Amino acid sequence: MGIIIRQSIKNTLLTYAGFGLGALNTLVLYTRFMSEEYFGLVGVLLSTATLLMPVMAFGIPNTLVKYYEGYKTADRSDRFLSLMLLLPVLIIVPLGLFSYFANDAIGAFLANKNPIVKGYVWHIFIIGMSMAYFEVFFAWSRVQLKTTFGTFLKEVFIRLAIMILLILLAYQRIDVNTFLNGLVLLYLLRCLLMGIYALRSTPFKISLGKIRGGRSVIWYSTLIILGGSVAVLLLEVDRFMINQYIQIENVAYYTVAIFMATVIIVPSRAMHQITYPLTASLLHKKDTEGLSQLYKKSSQSLLTVAGLIYLLILLNLEDLYRLLPENYSDGFVVVLLIGGVKLFDSFLGINNAILYNSKYYRSLLLMGILLAGLTVLLNMWLIPVFGIEGAAYATFTAVFLYNLAKLFFVRWKFSLVPWSANTFRLLFLMGVCVLVFLWIQLPFHPILNIGIKSVLLCLVFAGSVIYFNLSEEVTGFFTKFLKK
């Protein structure tokens, strides 16, 4: 676990730096210097582009990680990497032609409830394409266990650049249309930088010859398009569908609440950059014991850290909303539900990596497609009735069922579980912290209240984790840190 901890710490620091910038953007700059309508538009553009991204990527990020180990020799590597680079073109070119010839029809569909969206079809397409190839090149680096630069670009660079655009907008150096065009250029630039880094770190020559097992590789990629689309749809379709059923300003309110909840998954995102290829390697070597240890340790570590973050957000939420404009303050249910399901995601550890890199990935796709359909139906039903809370109910229900299905499937097929006795002790500790700190209401300025309550909560929670050794990895890290 040494390499996991080292790179995960770097990735976590970068990811939290990015989320710090994201907090400044989302909670301060967007809410104060951009109208709610245009903030909602930004949310719709990015969520729709994200929905397109796995289709445009042709499943290549997962395919690279799964199959790269078997194509390491020079001739095989050149042919394999050439195929990985060119396959997304088979989707992107037809989609680009369709967007060109059906631009008005697509715009009318997106602008069904909110006419402002109509003129931004190409913004969505170009951002989606840039996201797709960024993920391809990022996976290219991850198989070499080089994740830090990609994490920087993904988490820090894009948010820092957006912050600069928002500051320019605040000082009226640019208008909102220039901001939206700049957003497109930023995603293109990020993709270009990731591509240069990946190609320099893993040089290859274009070779269009056949590769051994090429049909299996292409078939897997095709199926992973569905898998990736399902995973993204479960997380992003809510904002897209809010735009289809209620006023676009609600996308802005929902975006703020979702951002708070998404912070919980940061440690998981950071750790998965390195555990994903290691999981693929363990499965390739059929090292069941190593896989079991990685599964439990990743789950225990992530549940500990994500659990503390969830508590910090939930127990400070009233003061957090006091810092925002009044229209953004009605999101407690959204944060509670989406945060809870993000905590469940963290508890699963490397569950996704096990399934996507095993022979059972088809079953995962089937489960995902069924639950993606359920998500859409629930959103269609609940958003018109409950507004943004309806979107949260729909997402929580679908993702919770999806995670539950994956958990039991891995137990059934691999005889692996992520939990131990410490898992239940951690959950008990979280419950105690909620009961204790929920009743602590401080009379000071919201920032001071948040600071005092957060320090007390961290001392109680982290102290209990270390004292009772509820997570070996977390306890080991703090022990080494204190010795230094």
Side-chain angles (χ1 to χ4, degrees), residues 431-470:
V432 170
C433 287
V434 170
L435 291 175
V436 172
F437 285 91
L438 189 63
W439 302 105
I440 297 178
Q441 300 295 329
L442 301 174
F444 311 116
H445 187 276
I447 294 177
L448 186 57
N449 292 343
I450 291 169
I452 294 172
K453 191 181 285 189
S454 297
V455 170
L456 291 173
L457 179 58
C458 287
L459 289 173
V460 171
F461 187 87
S464 299
V465 168
I466 295 169
Y467 182 79
F468 294 107
N469 195 24
L470 299 183

Side-chain angles (χ1 to χ4, degrees), residues 279 283 288 291-292 295-296 348-358 360-361 363-364 367 402-419:
T279 303
L283 284 166
T288 306
L291 193 64
S292 177
Y295 193 22
K296 289 184 177 180
L348 291 180
I350 60 167
N351 183 284
N352 277 348
I354 292 172
L355 288 171
Y356 276 122
N357 288 289
S358 73
Y360 300 111
Y361 64 88
S363 300
L364 178 65
M367 290 186 290
Y402 187 43
N403 284 345
L404 203 61
K406 291 187 293 184
L407 181 66
F408 283 108
F409 193 85
V410 170
R411 173 69 179 87
W412 176 33
K413 292 295 184 181
F414 295 89
S415 298
L416 298 174
V417 294
W419 61 76

Side-chain angles (χ1 to χ4, degrees), residues 340-341 344-345 371 394-406:
V341 88
F344 195 176
D345 282 338
L371 286 167
T395 300
F396 175 85
T397 302
V399 177
F400 182 86
L401 291 174
Y402 187 43
N403 284 345
L404 203 61
K406 291 187 293 184

